[in-house]
Amino acid sequence: DAGVIQSPRHEVTEMGQEVTLRCKPISGHDYLFWYRQTMMRGLELLIYFNNNVPIDDSGMPEDRFSAKMPNASFSTLKIQPSEPRDSAVYFCASSSLGIAFFGQGTRLTVV
Amino acid sequence: AQSVAQPEDQVNVAEGNPLTVKCTYSVSGNPYLFWYVQYPNRGLQFLLKYITGDNLVKGSYGFEAEFNKSQTSFHLKKPSALVSDSALYFCAVRDPDYNTDKLIFGTGTRLQVFP
């Protein structure tokens, strides 16, 4: 397996634009997590899914953020509209039996 | 509520010397504990875990961690540090009573190994 695949690796967008981050989890994993990492706040859990169902979205900072998992092999995190303070590295991770495997992340810069 | 604490923002050690990265935890039941490492511009990578059994667990790259229930600690150790061990290290806990894979991560400790 190629591991957790995230796209794009880098995204630069203007304030107010919609941004969509994509994730392909490891096949067979039943959990999927979206994290955000910044210098100021460290690693934050935004939302996670179990068997494609959102379980806990209490970490989603605002209504501008939304996440979907339409099937077991794909998830998206959308920010609409984006703001400069959303600039961060966004990680997707999938897990099975408690061990999480992380993607390489998407570095988002909102200017 | 379950939590982990990493009291040191940074640990500096000379190459060849032993290293310790500290972690303490707080959970309601018996914890599942993990260590992850993050190299620059990469995602977190699993190093090792403690579920049950022997208090000393061995992981990748020569790392090991010691579970101490009385001190609620799970310190990461390595007998001889390498410059290539320089990275950001995260401790994490999963509360098995909640029947979920959700992990609570610490704030991370930056390990700097000097030649």
Side-chain angles (χ1 to χ4, degrees), chain B residues 9-59:
Chain B
D9 289 337
Q10 180 153 332
V11 170
N12 300 317
V13 64
E15 187 174 32
N17 282 1
L19 70 88
T20 298
V21 183
K22 296 179 181 177
C23 172
T24 58
Y25 66 89
S26 174
V27 298
S28 56
N30 293 318
Y32 289 6
L33 294 159
F34 302 80
W35 276 102
Y36 284 78
V37 60
Q38 185 180 27
Y39 298 102
N41 301 313
R42 302 296 296 272
L44 280 68
Q45 296 178 33
F46 168 76
L47 271 181
L48 52 79
K49 67 176 180 180
Y50 171 83
I51 305 296
T52 186
D54 194 346
N55 289 344
L56 185 66
V57 293
K58 295 186 183 298

Side-chain angles (χ1 to χ4, degrees), chain A residues 8 13 15 19 22 24 27 49 51 67 74 78 81-82 85 98:
Chain A
T13 190
M15 183 174 63
V19 175
R22 297 173 176 81
K24 177 178 168 54
S27 177
F49 297 82
N51 293 322
F74 185 65
K78 186 177 294 186
S82 59
R85 60 194 167 122

